[in-house]
Amino acid sequence: MTAIMITNDMLSLYEKEFTRQEIATELNVSLRTVSRYLIFGSQYIPDLEVYVDSSGYLNRKRVESCHVEYLREIADLLTNFSKERTIAILTRKYSSKESE
């Protein structure tokens, strides 16, 4: 009997991907707002950097489902807090993950 080992990398291959329009509909925001969230979030959340090219513009990659949660978090923070406070929260939360 052969055991099959499933790693996180293998699972990520099957992860659902969303267009920006699908995300906008899910978050109940405009397509332009989703683009702004991606650019804003990529400055503070390392996982979102894959959606922005070296010159700071969005590339055409679809957004993985696990990254939609980051956008949902950004939307929630910006709704409830100022931009400066949101930056402080994201910096504290995600810069500590980088250093681990």
Side-chain angles (χ1 to χ4, degrees):
M1 193 154 133
T2 305
I4 299 174
M5 291 185 55
I6 299 176
T7 64
N8 284 338
D9 290 337
M10 290 175 69
L11 287 175
S12 69
L13 292 174
Y14 296 98
E15 188 170 357
K16 185 166 171 52
E17 294 179 327
F18 296 94
T19 64
R20 288 188 207 129
Q21 185 59 56
E22 291 170 325
I23 296 168
T25 302
E26 184 176 328
L27 297 180
N28 199 28
V29 297
S30 70
L31 186 59
R32 188 172 186 171
T33 299
V34 170
S35 296
R36 287 178 179 160
Y37 287 169
L38 281 168
I39 292 170
F40 176 77
S42 70
Q43 298 172 34
Y44 307 101
I45 303 171
D47 288 350
L48 294 182
E49 291 174 356
V50 298
Y51 304 109
V52 179
D53 64 20
S54 60
S55 57
Y57 293 102
L58 290 176
N59 56 32
R60 297 214 172 257
K61 281 188 166 185
R62 287 176 169 244
V63 180
E64 294 178 14
S65 60
C66 64
H67 295 162
V68 173
E69 294 305 314
Y70 292 130
L71 299 176
R72 187 174 281 117
E73 178 181 18
I74 290 168
D76 183 55
L77 288 171
L78 289 172
T79 300
N80 295 305
F81 300 105
S82 68
K83 185 175 180 180
E84 293 77 22
R85 181 99 184 263
T86 299
I87 290 169
I89 291 168
L90 292 176
T91 301
R92 181 173 297 156
K93 184 173 181 179
Y94 294 105
S95 66
S96 64
K97 285 187 176 183
E98 268 186 15
S99 61
E100 288 177 358

